[in-house]
């Protein structure tokens, strides 16, 4: 079903291999939801769609709040001239972040390129180029379908005066999320699009460029439009975009020698995820989080209305952190900015501290349309804190916690967990009652193993960071962490999902298996194996796409590589052709362009194949990969300010250092032999593939 009967074209690289980063087809999928998306951190659309969205601009009250639909001037499609039957291709080039529609006939080639500019985030653009073949002279006309109507159900749009040849509309969102909440005004300028463009007889080639600038102030919209025009005049608009993408890929890439579909899946996942993050070197960019289906989706009735879930913090974040800590920081800043809403959520439910909403939009207040999730699926609060913990251990960025609001968030979460626990006299431990675990088939259960373990982890981290900052640690944090119940069956040696769970009961998605990774809850390998075996059999086959990647990570940890591959292969039924758009459920239902599933899949390779684990003192590695992968290259791993490149085969492991600002530098330490290799900038080390870690080398004289 995932091929959906599409004509596939092979794009061959110079060495005769197909380029795994370029997806080309002779026709478009029949389901428009599966069309490629072009987005940056601020603007997003699906190609040939009549609306675009702006990061953080929502309309509607509470559970009805959704991404505000803005009419899209880039919804333009070339149509074939009469009587002409050119060869037509549609391509998503993930290396350049560009969608390309091509018409090729004996007498001409017409090319339409669409993109969301990666570094000028207020701009979307497209160009039409017509090039005549040698020996032809007649005029060539390409018609453009432009169904654009300057109306929106979410904004009170008004027309402003034209600006530098662009049309101008602006309008405010109609309904705030909460009373007195933000109601942004959106300003949009765009180049008017003619119904056709013509290459005259004396011309060999001609290009027409069309800009759309969107911002929340008239000044910014005009500034961006003018900057776009200047780059068009200099011939550098598209090239500055592709340069930004090239830099992005240079700083972060995962490739392997192995099956082509696996390589394509990795490039596709990285493209869609990287499309969502703030551009490099833009500190202070106000980022509003990533929803399960990204910025291109989120209108009322799709992709959970564009709300932000744990999907961001647990499933997408670790991949972004590993390559681009600045972008990871922007995600955490979104959570810090919505802390006030989280404090109110807890207060409304009668608890202290901060309770992050199951669904978050502009304010951090709960915007889930069904009460049960906001009231019961409380593991989200621990998931948010786990992202902060991973960030802290990977970057040692104390500023985020000391001056930028991180500590206030950490301590508010610890406070929440303490107030959410009740002491059981009978069992002499703390309980967390009446919750919905990650497995949403169950609710109102007591002591969800995952929820309690993540609460314990929150409290341990809060205490640990307090000690780092010489802040007195509340006794209660230590006590609650030590004495919270994490259900364990001593007879069967496994973790029951919650009090009273009986083996064999169906489970919706990865739940207990998350205790092994990403939680790294201490357990014997035998217990880890029992959890995997027990839950693999009862987990919904058609459930959400990220589930099987976590089983894969578990089996890789235990070095059962073929079993891991069997799990990872299940993900491919969620990947659609030709643009590698993921669907949430393998039957095609749920969110589309499901970044959550992509995030899980990337973690299976980035943390599974490599065995990477972020701990308090080091970055561990312990590679294991299935037989059909012979070599793995991970470029741009960021750890404590250094950038590293790992090249791993079954026999040898090489670590290259592209940037290492520290003295003493980092070092690699092998687990069994205790061998140490200093990591110096511009050099690389290699050793027979084995487990070990990267850590800061001890200072001399200590």
């Amino acid at each position: 079903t995932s091929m959906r009967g599409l004509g596939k074209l092979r794009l061959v690289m110079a060495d005769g291999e197909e380029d795994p980063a370029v997806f080309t087809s002779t026709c478009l999928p029949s389901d428009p939801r599966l069309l490629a998306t072009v987005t940056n951190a601020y603007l997003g659309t699906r190609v040939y769609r009549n609306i675009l969205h702006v990061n953080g601009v929502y309309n509607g009250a509470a559970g009805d709040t959704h991404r505000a639909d803005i009419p899209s001037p880039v919804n333009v499609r070339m149509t074939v001239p009469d009587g002409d039957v050119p060869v037509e291709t549609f391509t998503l080039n993930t290396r350049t972040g560009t969608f390309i529609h091509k018409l090729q006939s004996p007498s001409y080639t017409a090319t339409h390129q669409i993109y969301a500019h990666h570094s000028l985030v207020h701009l979307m653009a497209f160009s039409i180029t017509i090039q005549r073949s040698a020996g032809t002279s007649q005029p060539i006309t390409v018609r453009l379908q432009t169904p654009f109507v300057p109306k929106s159900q979410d904004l009170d749009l008004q027309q402003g005066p034209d600006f530098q040849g662009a049309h101008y509309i602006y309008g405010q969102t109609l309904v705030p999320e909460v009373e007195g909440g933000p109601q942004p005004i959106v300003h949009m300028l765009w180049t008017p699009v003619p119904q056709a463009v013509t290459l005259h007889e004396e011309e060999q080639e001609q290009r027409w460029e069309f800009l759309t600038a969107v911002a929340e102030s008239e000044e910014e919209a005009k500034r961006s439009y003018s900057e776009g025009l200047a780059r068009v005049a200099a011939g550098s608009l598209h090239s500055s975009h592709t340069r930004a993408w090239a830099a992005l890929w240079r700083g972060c890439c995962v490739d392997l020698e192995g099956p082509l579909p696996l390589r394509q899946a990795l490039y596709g996942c990285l493209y869609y995820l990287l499309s969502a993050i703030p551009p490099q070197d833009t500190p202070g960019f106000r980022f509003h989080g990533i929803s399960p289906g990204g910025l291109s989706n989120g209108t009322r009735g799709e992709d959970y209305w564009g709300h932000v879930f744990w999907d961001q913090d647990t499933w997408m974040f670790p991949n972004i952190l590993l390559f681009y800590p600045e972008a990871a920081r922007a995600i955490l800043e979104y959570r810090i900015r919505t802390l006030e809403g989280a404090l109110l959520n807890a207060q409304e439910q009668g608890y202290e501290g901060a309770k992050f909403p199951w669904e978050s939009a502009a304010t951090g207040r709960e915007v889930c349309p069904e009460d049960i999730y906001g009231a019961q699926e409380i593991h989200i609060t621990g998931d948010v804190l786990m992202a902060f913990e991973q960030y802290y251990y990977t970057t040692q960025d104390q500023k985020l916690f000391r001056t930028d609001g991180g500590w206030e968030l950490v301590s508010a979460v610890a406070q929440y967990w303490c107030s959410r626990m009740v002491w059981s006299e009978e069992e002499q431990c703390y309980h967390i009652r009446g919750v919905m675990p990650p497995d949403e088939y169950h609710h109102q259960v007591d002591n969800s193993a995952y929820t309690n373990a993540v609460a314990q982890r929150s409290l341990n981290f809060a205490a640990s960071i307090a000690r780092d900052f010489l802040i007195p640690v509340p006794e209660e944090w230590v006590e609650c962490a030590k004495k919270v119940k994490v259900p364990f069956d001593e007879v069967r040696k496994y973790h029951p999902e919650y009090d009273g769970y009986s083996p064999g009961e169906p489970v919706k998605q990865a739940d207990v298996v998350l205790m092994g990774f990403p939680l790294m809850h201490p357990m014997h390998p035998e217990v880890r194996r029992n959890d995997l075996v027990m839950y693999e059999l009862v987990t919904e086959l058609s459930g959400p796409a990220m589930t099987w990647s976590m089983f894969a990570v578990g089996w890789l940890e235990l070095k059962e590589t073929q079993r891991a591959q069997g799990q990872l292969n299940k993900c491919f039924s969620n990947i659609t052709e030709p643009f590698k758009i993921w669907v949430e459920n393998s039957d095609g239902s749920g969110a589309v362009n499901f970044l959550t599933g992509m995030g899980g899949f990337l973690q299976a390779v980035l943390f599974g194949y490599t065995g990477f684990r972020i701990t308090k003192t080091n970055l561990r590695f312990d590679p294991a990969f299935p037989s059909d992968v012979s070599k793995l290259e991970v470029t741009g791993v960021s750890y404590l300010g250094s950038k590293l490149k790992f090249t791993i085969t079954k026999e040898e492991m090489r670590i290259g250092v592209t940037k290492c600002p520290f003295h003493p530098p980092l070092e690699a330490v092998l687990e069994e032999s205790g061998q140490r290799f200093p990591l110096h900038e511009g050099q690389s080390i290699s050793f027979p593939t084995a487990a070990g870690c990267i850590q800061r080398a001890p200072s001399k004289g200590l």
Side-chain angles (χ1 to χ4, degrees):
T1 56
S2 73
M3 285 295 293
R4 304 209 162 82
L6 293 170
K8 290 276 304 258
L9 279 178
R10 302 281 172 223
L11 194 107
V12 177
M13 295 172 81
D15 57 8
E17 271 199 12
E18 188 176 340
D19 187 342
V22 179
F23 312 139
T24 295
S25 172
T26 53
C27 58
L28 293 172
S30 54
D31 181 346
R33 298 179 313 153
L34 307 180
L35 284 168
T37 69
V38 284
T39 83
N40 58 32
Y42 186 71
L43 293 173
T45 190
R46 207 161 61 209
V47 296
Y48 307 137
R49 187 177 195 186
N50 61 350
I51 53 172
L52 56 84
H53 294 128
V54 175
N55 189 2
V57 176
Y58 293 91
N59 178 49
D64 183 50
T65 193
H66 53 278
R67 293 200 190 281
D69 289 353
I70 293 151
S72 171
V74 298
N75 175 24
V76 171
R77 185 162 167 187
M78 296 193 299
T79 55
V80 180
D82 293 337
D84 205 357
V85 191
V87 175
E88 194 171 20
T89 57
F90 300 93
T91 300
L92 175 66
N93 185 330
T94 67
R95 294 187 192 281
T96 61
T98 308
F99 182 82
I100 304 139
H101 176 205
K102 225 177 206 164
L103 303 174
Q104 276 175 299
S105 87
S107 53
Y108 70 91
T109 301
T111 309
H112 179 196
Q113 303 202 90
I114 310 173
Y115 54 100
H117 203 290
H118 185 75
S119 48
L120 300 172
V121 294
H122 293 279
L123 280 185
M124 297 193 99
F126 70 91
S127 65
I128 307 282
T129 307
I130 307 177
Q131 200 176 13
R132 70 169 69 251
S133 312
T136 61
S137 60
Q138 76 282 19
I140 295 155
T141 296
V142 171
R143 282 208 298 278
L144 303 177
Q145 275 180 333
T146 59
F148 178 75
V149 181
K151 288 199 174 98
S152 164
Q153 55 180 16
D154 295 313
L155 304 161
D156 59 346
L157 287 177
Q158 289 151 56
Q159 202 173 346
D162 282 8
F163 171 78
Q164 298 183 345
H167 290 336
Y168 172 36
I169 54 175
Y170 61 94
Q172 188 168 28
T173 56
L174 302 172
V175 183
E177 186 177 304
V178 294
E179 215 163 304
Q183 277 180 274
I185 299 176
V186 174
H187 299 260
M188 182 164 81
L189 296 157
W190 74 98
T191 317
V193 182
Q195 288 182 314
V197 289
T198 300
L199 183 69
H200 299 297
E201 33 199 286
E202 68 283 358
E203 298 173 319
Q204 260 326 104
E205 180 178 339
Q206 179 73 331
R207 173 178 296 178
W208 294 265
E209 306 247 19
F210 300 89
L211 301 177
T212 296
V214 185
E216 284 154 83
S217 75
E218 179 180 353
E219 188 191 19
E220 181 58 67
K222 288 181 170 174
R223 204 184 62 73
S224 295
Y225 192 83
S226 302
E227 172 67 20
L229 284 182
R231 293 204 191 183
V232 167
S236 68
L237 183 69
H238 187 246
S239 61
S240 60
H241 164 72
T242 58
R243 268 201 309 277
W245 265 100
L248 205 53
W249 283 114
R250 267 200 308 279
C252 127
C253 194
V254 186
D255 206 349
L256 46 79
E257 283 174 18
L260 182 67
L262 176 57
R263 298 178 67 204
Q264 290 174 323
L266 288 169
Y267 275 101
C269 290
L270 274 169
Y271 164 74
Y272 290 115
L273 204 52
L274 292 174
S275 295
I277 66 171
Q280 289 168 277
D281 310 318
T282 51
F285 178 83
R286 276 178 79 85
F287 191 58
H288 293 273
I290 311 178
S291 64
L295 256 186
S296 52
N297 295 303
T299 199
R300 185 194 262 127
E302 79 177 0
D303 174 35
Y304 304 105
W305 286 240
H307 298 168
V308 176
F309 294 70
W310 72 313
D311 302 47
Q312 165 188 269
D313 312 76
T314 302
W315 299 96
M316 305 174 206
F317 180 86
N319 305 295
I320 296 168
L321 172 62
L322 202 58
F323 293 122
Y324 286 119
E326 306 88 348
R329 191 187 212 269
I331 290 173
L332 301 180
E333 286 166 353
Y334 164 71
R335 292 297 192 185
I336 291 172
R337 276 203 311 278
T338 57
L339 177 59
E340 200 179 322
L343 292 164
L344 285 166
N345 296 336
Q347 198 183 321
E348 260 175 24
Q349 295 181 3
Y351 299 108
E352 289 166 34
K355 186 219 165 288
F356 280 92
W358 179 242
E359 300 188 23
S360 182
T363 67
R365 297 306 305 273
E366 183 60 70
V367 295
C368 179
E370 298 96 16
D371 289 345
I372 188 169
Y373 300 97
Q376 293 189 27
E377 200 158 354
I378 62 174
H379 63 82
I380 172 71
T381 299
D383 303 329
V384 167
L385 204 58
M386 179 120 147
F388 277 83
E389 179 176 357
Q390 290 176 324
Y391 175 79
Y392 182 59
Y393 292 153
T394 307
T395 63
Q396 287 297 317
D397 171 5
Q398 294 205 353
K399 185 176 179 299
L400 179 73
F401 295 88
R402 284 183 188 275
T403 62
D404 300 347
W407 167 250
E408 285 72 13
L409 183 144
V410 172
S411 57
V413 166
Q415 217 180 339
Y416 170 74
W417 283 126
C418 290
S419 82
R420 188 65 180 76
M421 293 180 186
V422 290
W423 180 253
S424 158
E425 268 308 320
E426 189 188 341
E427 295 193 36
Q428 289 293 298
C429 59
Y430 285 102
H431 284 193
I432 300 179
R433 297 181 185 149
V435 305
M436 177 185 278
D439 161 26
E440 295 174 334
Y441 283 174
H442 297 96
H443 59 93
Q444 203 57 46
V445 302
D446 295 344
N447 300 316
S448 141
Y450 175 80
T451 306
N452 290 21
V454 88
Q456 183 179 57
R457 180 146 180 175
S458 295
L459 290 164
N460 285 334
F461 173 56
S464 161
I465 203 165
R467 289 183 198 109
D468 280 4
F469 295 170
L470 307 177
I471 295 169
V473 180
E475 189 50 44
E476 189 185 21
W477 295 4
V478 181
E479 195 62 9
C480 288
K482 204 159 57 192
K483 296 186 179 166
V484 65
K485 176 180 183 178
V486 177
F488 183 67
D489 181 326
E490 292 290 354
V491 179
R492 291 195 183 83
K493 298 257 182 286
Y494 89 109
H495 292 98
E497 191 179 280
Y498 50 83
D499 282 355
Y501 174 84
S502 47
E505 244 180 278
V507 166
K508 180 185 169 190
Q509 63 190 77
D511 184 317
V512 170
V513 296
L514 302 176
M515 290 170 71
F517 180 85
L519 264 193
M520 300 194 289
H521 190 77
M523 67 181 86
H524 190 278
E526 181 197 1
V527 174
R528 177 76 160 127
R529 192 173 200 285
N530 292 344
D531 284 348
L532 288 163
V533 171
M534 178 77 73
Y535 291 105
E536 195 177 294
L537 295 170
V538 297
T539 303
E540 186 66 65
L541 249 177
S542 60
M546 63 278 192
T547 286
W548 305 112
S549 4
M550 288 303 112
F551 279 95
V553 172
W555 290 119
L556 287 164
E557 220 172 83
L558 299 172
K559 302 285 183 266
E560 298 197 31
T561 54
Q562 291 323 105
R563 195 151 180 182
Q565 201 51 22
Q567 297 302 322
L568 204 57
N569 286 343
K570 292 181 186 173
C571 294
F572 284 89
S573 53
N574 296 73
I575 306 177
T576 66
E577 296 297 341
F579 303 120
K580 318 296 173 198
I581 289 278
W582 283 56
V583 290
E584 180 170 8
N585 303 311
S586 51
D587 61 5
S589 66
V592 167
N593 195 24
F594 191 49
L595 297 169
T596 316
M598 300 187 208
F601 187 81
L602 283 171
Q603 286 189 60
V605 173
L606 275 179
F607 294 84
Y609 286 5
T610 59
F612 285 156
R613 295 291 182 273
I614 296 163
T615 75
K616 187 174 178 175
T617 50
N618 57 33
L619 173 66
R620 295 206 327 253
F621 53 80
D622 186 5
F625 34 82
S627 52
D628 57 0
V629 172
S630 55
K631 180 180 176 183
L632 174 67
E633 277 190 346
V634 183
T635 307
V637 172
S638 291
Y639 185 64
L640 300 181
S642 295
K643 278 288 219 183
L644 309 171
K645 177 178 181 174
F646 289 78
T647 308
I648 308 168
T649 64
K650 294 192 171 63
E651 293 73 44
E652 187 190 59
M653 192 160 164
R654 178 175 292 277
I655 304 174
V657 188
T658 47
K659 181 176 138 200
C660 186
F662 285 117
H663 300 285
L666 297 179
E667 62 176 5
V669 183
L670 299 191
E671 199 173 286
E672 281 213 343
S673 65
Q675 258 181 298
R676 294 167 177 265
F677 302 88
L679 296 170
H680 295 292
E681 196 164 316
Q683 296 179 359
S684 68
I685 58 160
S686 60
F687 46 86
T689 299
C693 70
I694 309 288
Q695 61 185 34
R696 207 173 260 182
S699 308
K700 297 277 185 290
L702 281 184

